[in-house]
Amino acid sequence: MNAASIKKARDEAKRFMALVQPALDHEEGEARIWPSPARSALRRASMDLTRALADMRRPS
């Protein structure tokens, strides 16, 4: 674990959290489309966050 990997994980977590509300708003709205761009962006951010967390746990 090093400072760069911690910062990367922090940045990915912030990006993920910023996308949560738009995805929830889209799901609750009347003009839903499937698949939604908001959900797709959230899913991608989730995968990037998972990768950053795994990289952070690797020995440096």
Side-chain angles (χ1 to χ4, degrees):
M1 191 179 302
N2 60 34
S5 64
I6 293 170
K7 288 176 184 176
K8 175 71 173 168
R10 177 198 61 198
D11 294 343
E12 292 297 341
K14 285 181 181 180
R15 185 169 72 99
F16 175 81
M17 292 304 296
L19 293 169
V20 168
Q21 195 58 50
L24 289 174
D25 290 345
H26 187 271
E27 290 301 309
E28 295 168 358
E30 293 179 18
R32 289 179 21 182
I33 58 171
W34 185 260
S36 86
R39 282 185 65 162
S40 298
L42 184 62
R43 181 173 291 175
R44 180 66 218 191
S46 170
M47 290 187 288
D48 293 342
L49 176 56
T50 299
R51 174 68 60 160
L53 290 170
D55 290 344
M56 186 183 74
R57 291 188 296 268
R58 286 193 184 119
S60 50

